[in-house]
Amino acid sequence: MLRAAGVGVGDEVVVPAFGNVEVTEAVTLAGALPVFADIDPVTYCLEASAVEAAVTSRTAAVVVVHRFGRRADMARLHGTGQRHGLLVLEQAESEVPYDEIAQRRQRASYLDAKLRGVRTPDSGDGHTFQQYVVRVPGNGRPDRDAFARAVRARGVECRVPVKTPVHRLPEFRRCVSLPETERAAEETLALPVDASLTKRDMQRIVSACNVLGGLLQPAF
């Protein structure tokens, strides 16, 4: 899509560093220079004011990646694109089957009500819960990675959604301030929320997390 739009050598493309490296690789394959902008801490998608701050005279496009079942604020991002004459492209996640969305939301609601000591995700704006991503702040107590190991030891599968932001990878290393990206990479953990989970499965997830959650700062 970038090549088809004429984006190439000498152009800059604004992309998120929180997420898959493939987007950044696509920009470099088109011959353009990836420029990283920070994310919104609620949606984990590009934040419009951060994109605005990253725009230069060489910026040709913005690639927006929707994350975890939440959508970016496309109205504001398209507004930025229109003001600066930029191409705004979207990359969606693989879709959750329509008949599963209600079940995922139901399980997410259960977790929202029962989990302690972790920060549960904001469920607004039509969240489909592609992933149920909580925050595990350190604050001198067990960090996210230690928390994840302990939860797995109790038989609950969980995963770190973004282990290393793209701007920290050797091939794309940049000296750039992305505080929300850095914080999200350090704190986020995806817990199971699949439609196939039984009530017993859900209780196991809550029990495994809450046994540890008392060691963390209370959720806000």
Side-chain angles (χ1 to χ4, degrees):
M1 292 176 70
L2 291 167
R3 285 173 175 162
V7 176
V9 177
D11 293 325
E12 294 178 350
V13 179
V14 180
V15 296
F18 185 76
N20 302 330
V21 70
E22 289 82 4
V23 171
T24 306
E25 289 174 336
V27 173
T28 59
L29 285 172
L33 178 70
V35 174
F36 299 110
D38 213 354
I39 58 170
D40 179 284
V42 174
T43 66
Y44 301 102
C45 305
L46 280 176
E47 205 280 320
S49 62
V51 171
E52 187 92 33
V55 171
T56 72
S57 60
R58 298 174 60 187
T59 307
V62 179
V63 180
V64 182
V65 183
H66 303 297
R67 302 291 296 172
F68 309 142
R70 285 294 301 269
R71 288 183 57 79
D73 187 344
M74 293 309 301
R76 288 188 64 201
L77 288 163
H78 278 303
T80 299
Q82 289 167 0
R83 279 193 300 277
H84 297 281
L86 308 177
L87 176 69
V88 179
L89 299 176
E90 299 179 57
Q91 185 191 54
E93 301 172 293
S94 57
E95 294 292 329
V96 174
Y98 182 77
D99 58 353
E100 286 188 14
I101 292 175
Q103 294 169 297
R104 283 175 177 260
R105 285 175 174 161
Q106 182 182 50
R107 284 154 179 76
S109 178
Y110 178 86
L111 293 176
D112 288 347
K114 299 290 186 181
L115 287 175
R116 300 288 178 266
V118 297
R119 296 177 189 173
T120 56
D122 183 281
S123 60
D125 196 29
H127 202 322
T128 60
F129 294 99
Q130 178 83 16
Q131 297 184 59
Y132 184 88
V133 177
V134 299
R135 295 247 190 173
V136 186
N139 297 321
R141 293 164 172 78
D143 63 16
R144 186 271 318 278
D145 294 336
F147 188 92
R149 288 192 295 272
V151 167
R152 292 186 191 110
R154 287 167 171 78
V156 173
E157 287 299 319
C158 60
R159 59 182 294 273
V160 175
V162 177
K163 293 182 180 179
T164 306
V166 181
H167 74 293
R168 285 189 189 172
L169 297 175
E171 61 269 41
F172 297 113
R173 192 173 296 280
R174 300 282 193 280
C175 183
V176 59
S177 177
L178 302 173
E180 295 298 346
T181 295
E182 299 273 357
R183 193 173 296 113
E186 291 171 357
E187 295 181 352
T188 50
L189 186 68
L191 297 174
V193 75
D194 308 82
S196 61
L197 293 170
T198 65
K199 185 173 182 179
R200 181 172 293 181
D201 293 330
M202 301 302 297
Q203 290 170 339
R204 184 182 300 114
I205 294 166
V206 169
S207 176
C209 291
N210 285 2
V211 139
L212 303 163
L215 301 175
L216 301 171
Q217 290 285 5
F220 294 102

